[in-house]
Amino acid sequence: MPPDPSPTASVAVAAAGENRNLFFRVFPSIMLPMFLAVVDQTIVATALPAIAATLGQIGRASWVVIAYLISTTIAAPVYGQLGDVFGRKRMMFIALAIFMGSSLLCAASQSIEMLTGARILQGLGGGGLMTLSQALIGETIPPRERGRYQGYLAGVMVTSSAFGPVVGGFLTHYFGWRSVFLVNLPIGVIALLLTTRLVPRGGPRPSWRFDTPGLVWFVLFVTTILLALDQAQRWEPRTLLTVLGLLGLSIASLGLLLRQENRAHTPLLPVELLRQAAIWRSDALAACHGGTLVSMITFLPIYLQAVRGLSPQETGLLLLPLTAGIGIGSIVTGRIMTRTGLTTIFPIWGLLVVTINLVLFALLASRLPTAYLPWIFGWNALFMGTVMGVVQITVQVVAGPKMLGAGAASVQYSRSVGAAFGTAIVAAVLFSVLTATDPDTARLFAVMVQRGPSAMATLEPARQAVVQAEIAEAFQAAFLAMAAFTGIGLLLAWSIPVRRI
């Protein structure tokens, strides 16, 4: 007769079963809304030429993208606070309803202006989906288990970013650009059904009042800073005064925002929370990581097509290891965090490797065969995946249950603004080097950024070779700028006081 299992073994089996049940009960309900929000940031970019061809006003097509970015950034702290007050399950239903309703409006749009307005509404829903998904991990999962779940969620985010352009291109080609918005409806219905499985938590605070002046100043700050960064990427002399004016307005609104938040009874941005070293350093690390990652995703395709002469299909295949590697790195980091409780050691070593890789790639890229690039991108991406899970968990642990939504929102808008800053800075570096080297190449590169490397097709072969060499030299400086972001992130990770959960 076999011996009875020991009490310790029974407890371990029970805990494993409980964790498995928790995963299937909670994670799909969180994952699908996050997938919807993130994939919508990239799926529309592929459809922009078709949208411009149908609605006209090609010069305003970028409004469709920047409108969504602005509104998702604005929505983050709003949903963070409302989720803390009224419960995240209730707010998730509201965010999904706004997202689905505005997706229908996007599909029905008859002008760029109407589509831009619908995208603003869609971003208000999408920003809520991203913020609430992150906060729900902290609300429903024990601290030591969060590393594993945050790793999975980071993998979903990166996969969604890579998945978007592929699906957007397919849907636009076979079903028209309106289908990229209509596809949100069936997925949203499934997300609504899954959300019903979440346990409602939280309730209204007796003395809570919404910080309307804080929201006004925050909207003005985010709108002006993101519009300034969008204009700065164009790097045209005629936009300089516009950029400076927007930056001045954003600085003034930031000062007024901080003044309001310091005296508000229930501030939209809890300054006391953001003053804590672990919080603001983690948020700054998220900004550096977002700046590096989005810059790589934005400019590597241009590099591969303009300098290496690859087709869009070949470029997509070469970049697959980049997106897959970040997802794998996030999942592995999360599982190790769950087992050991260690946190900042992973981004410290991870960003050290990434910084060295980027510096070496900047210096040696011209000597590397194209066949080596997928391995380099994949290796680099594995270590890029060590950051976001640690950032989210650190902020959640320090913020505590009462400020969980505010903490998750701070990471979300830090990452969004950091991504915009990083992309603008890398674009400025590229255009500065090209302008100093050859103004004609700089003007051609500006066209390539907007319309793709096909803009070089009309050049003579000898001129094409010169342009490729000049762009390659400019990209060397751009990769060094990305290495500077990860280097700053490394110092921030080193200085975060929370080292274990």
Side-chain angles (χ1 to χ4, degrees):
M1 185 173 180
D4 292 335
S6 67
T8 304
S10 299
V11 170
V13 171
E18 184 180 346
N19 288 338
R20 193 178 300 110
N21 292 333
L22 185 65
F23 178 87
F24 286 111
R25 187 175 72 250
V26 172
F27 188 70
S29 306
I30 296 171
M31 176 273 292
L32 198 56
M34 170 66 81
F35 173 83
L36 265 176
V38 176
V39 79
D40 214 74
Q41 290 181 317
T42 55
I43 195 173
V44 176
T46 316
L48 280 182
I51 291 172
T54 303
L55 302 181
Q57 297 175 305
I58 190 169
R60 297 180 181 178
S62 62
W63 290 8
V64 177
V65 176
I66 193 69
Y68 188 84
L69 176 61
I70 289 172
S71 57
T72 53
T73 307
I74 290 167
V78 175
Y79 280 95
Q81 185 177 92
L82 294 179
D84 285 336
V85 175
F86 297 108
R88 275 165 271 279
K89 179 178 178 178
R90 181 184 301 175
M91 296 310 302
M92 182 67 86
F93 280 123
I94 293 172
L96 280 168
I98 293 172
F99 187 83
M100 293 168 65
S102 55
S103 294
L104 194 59
L105 287 176
C106 287
S109 295
Q110 300 300 314
S111 67
I112 284 289
E113 291 80 8
M114 183 178 175
L115 180 57
T116 301
R119 285 286 282 174
I120 291 172
L121 284 175
Q122 193 181 35
L124 294 177
L129 298 182
M130 287 187 279
T131 301
L132 294 168
S133 296
Q134 296 285 0
L136 279 165
I137 291 286
E139 181 179 83
T140 56
I141 308 298
R144 280 293 290 268
E145 286 291 319
R146 289 177 197 167
R148 186 158 58 95
Y149 285 82
Q150 287 291 354
Y152 294 145
L153 207 57
V156 169
M157 290 179 65
V158 176
T159 304
S160 304
S161 298
F163 185 72
V166 177
V167 175
F170 176 84
L171 290 174
T172 302
H173 182 74
Y174 289 101
F175 302 102
W177 64 265
R178 299 181 194 276
S179 64
V180 304
F181 300 109
L182 293 175
V183 75
N184 293 330
L185 300 180
I187 300 175
V189 169
I190 298 172
L192 281 170
L193 294 174
L194 289 172
T195 302
T196 61
R197 306 192 310 167
L198 294 173
V199 178
R201 301 170 190 262
R205 298 177 190 172
S207 60
W208 177 78
R209 291 195 306 272
F210 188 73
D211 181 19
T212 302
L215 177 61
V216 171
W217 295 124
F218 184 69
V219 168
L220 187 58
F221 166 66
V222 169
T223 303
T224 51
I225 193 69
L226 292 180
L227 286 175
L229 293 171
D230 179 64
Q231 291 291 317
Q233 290 183 55
R234 306 176 196 282
W235 202 248
E236 298 173 1
R238 60 189 176 89
T239 65
L240 181 60
L241 287 177
T242 303
V243 171
L244 292 176
L246 288 170
L247 286 176
L249 189 56
S250 69
I251 292 169
S253 56
L254 177 61
L256 292 168
L257 171 65
L258 294 175
R259 180 187 174 193
Q260 166 63 24
E261 299 308 271
N262 276 314
R263 64 185 185 183
H265 179 64
T266 51
L268 183 69
L269 300 177
V271 178
E272 288 300 321
L273 180 68
L274 298 176
R275 281 177 179 155
Q276 297 187 53
I279 299 286
W280 73 259
R281 289 172 185 173
S282 295
D283 286 347
L285 174 56
C288 290
H289 183 267
T292 306
L293 181 58
V294 175
S295 296
M296 292 174 69
I297 292 173
T298 302
F299 291 105
L300 274 177
I302 300 172
Y303 167 80
L304 292 172
Q305 293 178 49
V307 177
R308 299 275 177 163
L310 302 180
S311 68
Q313 293 79 6
E314 291 171 326
T315 299
L317 289 174
L318 276 179
L319 292 178
L320 280 178
L322 174 66
T323 51
I326 295 174
I328 294 170
S330 299
I331 291 169
V332 171
T333 300
R335 295 186 72 88
I336 297 175
M337 273 196 293
T338 296
R339 292 189 177 186
T340 64
L342 297 173
T343 55
T344 51
I345 188 67
F346 302 108
I348 288 171
W349 286 103
L351 290 175
L352 177 63
V353 172
V354 171
T355 303
I356 293 171
N357 286 347
L358 286 171
V359 171
L360 291 176
F361 186 72
L363 299 177
L364 305 175
S366 60
R367 305 176 195 174
L368 294 172
T370 301
Y372 287 10
L373 297 186
W375 301 97
I376 295 170
F377 295 158
W379 171 254
N380 207 47
L382 283 173
F383 293 96
M384 284 286 288
T386 60
V387 178
M388 284 310 297
V390 171
V391 166
Q392 284 286 358
I393 289 173
T394 300
V395 170
Q396 288 173 6
V397 169
V398 175
K402 292 184 179 179
M403 301 292 287
L404 198 58
S410 73
V411 175
Q412 182 59 42
Y413 60 71
S414 295
R415 188 178 184 277
S416 296
V417 174
F421 263 105
T423 308
I425 290 170
V426 171
V429 169
L430 275 168
F431 282 110
S432 296
V433 174
L434 284 173
T435 302
T437 304
D438 187 341
D440 291 335
T441 300
R443 285 190 287 271
L444 177 62
F445 186 74
V447 175
M448 290 169 59
V449 169
Q450 295 181 1
R451 301 181 186 175
S454 59
M456 279 206 308
T458 58
L459 299 179
E460 295 292 331
R463 176 59 181 161
Q464 282 191 24
V466 172
V467 168
Q468 285 180 323
E470 291 172 346
I471 292 175
E473 183 179 348
F475 265 103
Q476 185 178 58
F479 291 130
L480 290 175
M482 296 177 197
F485 297 151
T486 58
I488 295 169
L490 168 60
L491 295 176
L492 289 165
W494 186 271
S495 67
I496 294 174
V498 177
R499 300 297 178 98
R500 184 185 288 269
I501 55 173

